[in-house]
Amino acid sequence: MINEGKLGIALFSSQKQKSQVLYGILLSVTGIFLLLLSYDPSLIVQYGLAGGMFLSSFFAFVTANKSKGSEIPYKFNWLLGLGMFVYALIILIYGSTLDRFITLTMAFLLYFGIVEIIFGFGLMAYKKSISLQVIVFRMIIGLLMAVGAVLMPGMALVDKNTSLVVAGTLILFGGINFILLANAVRKIA
């Protein structure tokens, strides 16, 4: 068994959490990819981000399938997987210009943040199994994503590359969130 800290954080997980940790890692790598290429945007960024999101969505659906016994994690992972899949598909089809790419990324991050906040409220029902600190941490990450998404258009007016840096950072934080808190969510799955 894994020894977890004050926030219920675990870097390694049991078999049940491997898919969640894997899509957390894929999201983190996708965020790093966007960060590294944010000042040299090209079709590589568009295709790379879409590929990372398609893979992440696959593992989100796998995680949802493994969480069928618990309604809230099932719905959360299913909604997030669907959002990542749709985002990947839309940026492949419609994200050919930097302005469109930024707008679509902003919409996805807003969606991601709102879903994370709603998931946090859903987890309140499990506060006997999951510490309030874990729930609040997840909700703060969701709030940061939503606020960052709302600020992106203003940043894009000043410097489009800075808005991509923010997007990459938020995607990275989302992935790290899944990796670190997989063990806490395991308690209800």
Side-chain angles (χ1 to χ4, degrees), residues 81-107:
L82 182 63
M84 287 186 284
F85 183 84
V86 169
Y87 171 62
L89 190 62
I90 289 175
I91 61 171
L92 278 178
I93 295 169
Y94 190 69
S96 57
T97 68
L98 188 56
D99 288 333
R100 286 181 187 169
F101 184 83
I102 289 170
T103 302
L104 293 169
T105 301
M106 178 211 62

Side-chain angles (χ1 to χ4, degrees), residues 10 26 31 39 126 141 159 183 187:
L26 286 168
Y39 282 93
Y126 297 99
I141 294 291
D159 183 15
N183 194 46
K187 294 176 181 179

